[in-house]
Amino acid sequence: MRITGCGHASMLIETAAGSILCDPWVNPAYFASWFPFPDNSGLDWKALGQCDFLYVSHLHRDHFDEQNLRDNISKDTTVLLPEYPTSELEDELRALGFTKFVKTVSGEVTPIGNGVKVMIQALVSPTDGPIGDSSIWVEDADGVRLLNQNDARPTDLTAFKKLGHIHAHLLQFSGAIWYPMVYELPDAAKTAFGKQKRERQFDRSLRYIDDGSASWVFPIAGPPCFLDDALWKFNDLGDDEGNIFPDQQVYSDFLADNGRDNTVTLLPGTVAEVTLDGCSVTQPVPDVREFFANKEQHLIEYRDRQRPVIAAAKESWRHPEIDVLAELKKRFEPLLSEAEFIAAGINGPVRFDLTAPDSDEVVDSVLFDFVNREIRAYDDEKCRYRFTTERRFVEHLLHINEIDWVNSLFLSCRFSAARIGQYNEFVYTFFKCLSEERLNYAEGWYAEQKPDEENVDLDGWTVQRRCPHLKADLTRFGKVDDGVLTCQMHGWKWNLASGKCLTSVGHDIRSSKAE
């Protein structure tokens, strides 16, 4: 099996049944804030696009690149489609001209020809990607097996391991979120929270690596880089221990320090030939470590090449003809009226302060009132949750009828956030479900959740086996320290004496002192 790196989570997998192109991202995403690192724009995307199969793991725009899919990927290719609860991924691919689909069943092995098999596991909670994330397992005719986990977070890898030994395991290690950088916190606190998140990312991926027990590990799906001057500070240049976007070399060194010497760095153009008993690698640069040592210079040159792209994007964002408040009321108040579980989970107002372009001057303040189910002008009410962003971003979201503000505005990091109290997942669930289809699915998912009746003992405490957040197995991901349980899948915490969640509202745990 041959794996050719195409940047970020993208790769070309060559098998006896033909080639599988995964997540081909090259154009900037999220209000021109995220770019692939290293730069992959020099690859021959027309040639890569002549693939036999296409796999797009989910709709996040650093995986689903509409422009690249439309312009460069052959419409004769066959799409390997994850089994999602909504048809959005298929609908968007069909709108781009794709017509051939293999509709897989989550967890079931599907033959694709010449002895090659695939299995796609779809994760379908409202917090998995934009309503869904997935991983793909591939077995070649000679028995070589690959697991492309990308940035999905399954509760465990049992479904893949039972199919046989994994030879190549590709997975995320770096951050892909806006926390804690955008929060209005003292610098020392922001650094401390960032350091915790960075360590948690590494620990989580290491657990997956140990769980998968693969012959070779390929760190992928990150980090993005930030080439707009306003966001440049988010790049990890080695001088901030709280930066959540470490690069492949940093993570490879971490793995080496933890006794793992089977890591392959997959740059754009890297070719890895994986066999049953080995892996030969050809890199596009003479010295990978030296390449990352010169990272800042690479980023400076990359930024200079992309300045016209960023400038052109910015020209498209302003739409002063849009009455923001009136449009928000018209489009989203009907959704508020249907959001029973989500509104109860938020149980208060969420405020948006909208500023002038490139300015801190607030020109509008809008309130999403989840108690009275209305959107209105802010009138000095107390708010536990506040976002500040430029008005033109919201104008643009309304102009393009964006139904997922998480997969656009929030991931852009072009905002700041403040909250009183704990993180509340329902806030972000609502803003990624700004369509009737998505909202009804999320409401139904929350309604179907049932208590976990199985208990386990952890370090002197008896707790429910499954995490109240996203059902991770706490016997594997749970860690108890001084009466506080941390689920290392996502870093959520509970006070075991009271069962109260210390991370978010509405997710208490069943716990007691073990007999």
Side-chain angles (χ1 to χ4, degrees):
M1 182 184 292
R2 175 182 294 166
I3 307 168
T4 301
C6 301
H8 200 64
S10 183
M11 71 202 73
L12 186 74
I13 305 167
E14 294 177 75
T15 73
S19 57
I20 306 171
L21 182 62
C22 304
D23 290 337
W25 175 45
V26 62
N27 295 292
Y30 314 126
F31 283 101
S33 60
W34 285 36
F35 289 77
F37 179 79
D39 184 4
N40 62 352
S41 60
L43 297 178
D44 187 346
W45 285 102
K46 289 288 187 183
L48 291 167
Q50 297 303 308
C51 52
D52 298 289
F53 298 94
L54 171 69
Y55 165 68
V56 178
S57 59
H58 59 299
L59 276 169
H60 273 151
R61 300 301 169 173
D62 56 317
H63 299 258
F64 182 96
D65 181 346
E66 180 178 345
Q67 182 178 339
N68 196 27
L69 290 166
R70 181 183 61 244
D71 295 347
N72 295 319
I73 311 305
S74 169
K75 304 309 177 289
D76 289 329
T77 191
T78 298
V79 177
L80 302 173
L81 192 69
E83 184 185 28
Y84 284 141
T86 73
S87 63
E88 287 182 65
L89 178 57
E90 180 182 354
D91 293 345
E92 293 217 29
L93 288 167
R94 287 190 182 279
L96 292 172
F98 295 94
T99 59
K100 301 176 182 178
F101 291 84
V102 173
K103 297 184 179 182
T104 64
V105 176
S106 183
E108 290 191 8
V109 174
T110 302
I112 61 171
N114 291 342
V116 180
K117 307 168 187 174
V118 301
M119 189 270 272
I120 299 177
Q121 183 189 71
L123 305 179
V124 296
S125 90
T127 53
D128 286 314
I131 311 298
D133 203 346
S134 67
S135 305
I136 185 171
W137 170 95
V138 182
E139 182 179 274
D140 209 347
D142 60 0
V144 173
R145 303 180 189 92
L146 170 149
L147 171 58
N148 173 12
Q149 187 180 333
N150 64 84
D151 54 7
R153 298 183 189 177
T155 55
D156 58 52
L157 301 183
T158 301
F160 303 106
K161 290 183 66 179
K162 72 179 183 181
L163 300 174
H165 175 72
I166 300 168
H167 299 91
H169 186 184
L170 301 97
L171 79 166
Q172 183 188 52
F173 64 95
S174 188
I177 195 70
W178 52 86
Y179 173 86
M181 304 87 66
V182 304
Y183 276 85
E184 298 171 12
L185 296 166
D187 288 342
K190 195 176 294 188
T191 297
F193 289 139
K195 184 178 179 182
Q196 290 174 7
K197 179 160 182 58
R198 182 178 173 122
E199 292 171 350
R200 197 161 64 238
Q201 293 166 179
F202 280 13
D203 183 75
R204 178 177 60 242
S205 60
L206 188 57
R207 286 172 181 265
Y208 279 128
I209 288 170
D210 289 347
D211 194 11
S213 304
S215 302
W216 302 97
V217 172
F218 297 71
I220 63 163
C225 63
F226 302 86
L227 304 182
D228 190 347
D229 292 334
L231 305 173
W232 182 262
K233 60 187 176 183
F234 296 147
N235 293 307
D236 184 13
L237 299 177
D239 54 358
D240 179 7
E241 62 181 356
N243 190 291
I244 71 164
F245 299 110
D247 59 42
Q248 295 92 322
Q249 187 62 58
V250 171
Y251 186 64
S252 294
D253 290 343
F254 164 79
L255 292 180
D257 290 343
N258 283 272
R260 278 71 173 181
D261 58 359
N262 61 340
T263 307
V264 178
T265 299
L266 203 63
L267 302 176
T270 300
V271 178
E273 301 272 0
V274 182
T275 63
L276 291 172
D277 53 11
C279 178
S280 62
V281 181
T282 303
Q283 295 288 5
V285 296
D287 187 320
V288 171
R289 182 172 293 277
E290 182 180 358
F291 173 85
F292 284 101
N294 295 323
K295 178 179 180 178
E296 184 171 10
Q297 185 59 39
H298 290 311
L299 286 174
I300 290 171
E301 294 170 2
Y302 194 2
R303 177 183 62 188
D304 291 343
R305 292 192 298 272
Q306 293 293 339
R307 281 193 189 280
V309 175
I310 297 172
K314 289 183 175 181
E315 286 296 316
S316 70
W317 297 339
R318 194 163 180 267
H319 304 277
E321 72 281 2
I322 292 178
D323 184 331
V324 169
L325 178 58
E327 283 299 311
L328 290 174
K329 287 177 69 67
K330 174 184 174 182
R331 298 187 192 190
F332 301 147
E333 279 189 350
L335 298 177
L336 284 173
S337 69
E338 299 177 20
E340 295 292 337
F341 285 93
I342 293 173
I346 298 172
N347 194 31
V350 175
R351 171 179 153 198
F352 275 80
D353 285 345
L354 308 180
T355 69
D358 301 312
S359 169
D360 295 330
E361 178 194 358
V362 176
V363 294
D364 280 302
S365 285
V366 177
L367 207 68
F368 286 73
D369 185 342
F370 286 89
V371 174
N372 297 304
R373 314 288 182 89
E374 65 176 343
I375 298 172
R376 63 177 185 273
Y378 171 63
D379 190 24
D380 293 327
E381 298 96 330
K382 290 184 178 180
C383 297
R384 292 182 61 195
Y385 311 105
R386 174 172 55 80
F387 299 102
T388 302
T389 191
E390 295 180 25
R391 179 189 166 104
R392 60 177 172 170
F393 298 143
V394 175
E395 290 174 351
H396 188 65
L397 294 171
L398 294 170
H399 176 74
I400 64 174
N401 198 27
E402 177 61 64
I403 64 170
D404 186 345
W405 288 17
V406 170
N407 191 24
S408 50
L409 174 61
F410 293 145
L411 279 171
S412 77
C413 299
R414 295 182 183 274
F415 73 105
S416 65
R419 71 171 187 253
I420 299 172
Q422 300 167 329
Y423 168 79
N424 190 324
E425 78 168 39
F426 295 101
V427 173
Y428 294 102
T429 298
F430 178 78
F431 285 106
K432 73 161 62 171
C433 293
L434 299 173
S435 73
E436 190 145 17
E437 182 182 27
R438 284 196 180 191
L439 184 74
N440 286 332
Y441 172 71
E443 286 287 307
W445 190 89
Y446 284 121
E448 290 172 1
Q449 301 311 295
K450 293 179 172 61
D452 180 356
E453 299 300 336
E454 184 180 0
N455 292 333
V456 295
D457 289 342
L458 295 177
D459 295 328
W461 293 88
T462 298
V463 301
Q464 65 189 61
R465 179 167 186 164
R466 295 288 174 177
C467 171
H469 176 216
L470 289 180
K471 308 303 180 186
D473 186 344
L474 293 174
T475 63
R476 298 184 55 255
F477 287 94
K479 180 180 179 182
V480 177
D481 185 17
D482 196 23
V484 174
L485 168 68
T486 300
C487 175
Q488 294 184 307
M489 173 74 78
H490 295 94
W492 284 41
K493 298 178 184 293
W494 288 264
N495 181 318
L496 292 176
S498 65
K500 291 295 183 184
C501 182
L502 304 176
T503 306
S504 179
V505 296
H507 292 83
D508 294 349
I509 200 168
R510 185 173 64 254
S511 61
S512 63
K513 273 286 188 181
E515 296 182 0

